[in-house]
Amino acid sequence: MTHQRIPKDWTVQRSTPFFTKDNVPTALLTHHNTADSVFGQLCVMEGTVTYYGFADSEATEPEVKVVIPAGEFATSPPLYWHRVELSDDAQFNINFWSAQSKEGQPLFNAKK
């Protein structure tokens, strides 16, 4: 998988607050994926965030590893399984992009 471009006619549907090691949701540290027709854009403000992408929900070895430094971002395509790891000083947020409103709909799915 290479860095995938968010379609130019899509818009941000929702943004998270900034997360650190102290308040990052557990779901982000374990296998999860973005919902159907939703791109995730992980934006790192401080430290580094490492993104691991997996072939499916059961894979234990990542097929993709991307280290995202402060001031950079990475995208996660719809329905792609992944998780993140944070440096001790990491601070980041996530923008969820879609072609149409996702009001009231989940933007990601955690592994059950």
Side-chain angles (χ1 to χ4, degrees):
M1 180 184 104
T2 59
H3 178 78
Q4 294 192 16
R5 185 179 299 260
I6 298 168
K8 67 180 179 178
D9 59 335
W10 287 26
T11 59
V12 174
Q13 299 300 310
R14 204 172 312 155
S15 295
T16 68
F18 287 102
F19 296 127
T20 66
K21 273 200 159 185
D22 294 332
N23 68 351
V24 63
T26 304
L28 298 182
L29 303 174
T30 60
H31 272 49
H32 66 283
N33 69 9
T34 47
D36 188 26
S37 303
V38 175
F39 258 92
Q41 179 189 32
L42 195 153
C43 303
V44 180
M45 296 296 160
E46 292 182 23
T48 59
V49 175
T50 304
Y51 172 99
Y52 296 95
F54 299 90
D56 58 49
S57 65
E58 302 305 314
T60 57
E61 293 298 318
E63 63 180 2
V64 171
K65 176 182 176 184
V66 180
V67 178
I68 312 159
E72 300 288 327
F73 72 90
T75 59
S76 191
L79 300 174
Y80 187 66
W81 290 96
H82 59 279
R83 69 175 180 83
V84 297
E85 285 182 358
L86 284 62
S87 64
D88 288 340
D89 60 344
Q91 183 176 342
F92 73 100
N93 81 319
I94 303 167
N95 298 312
F96 294 99
W97 294 74
S98 182
Q100 52 191 312
S101 175
K102 296 291 183 180
E103 185 70 32
Q105 298 176 36
L107 299 176
F108 73 94
N109 305 294
K111 185 175 172 184
K112 296 180 185 193

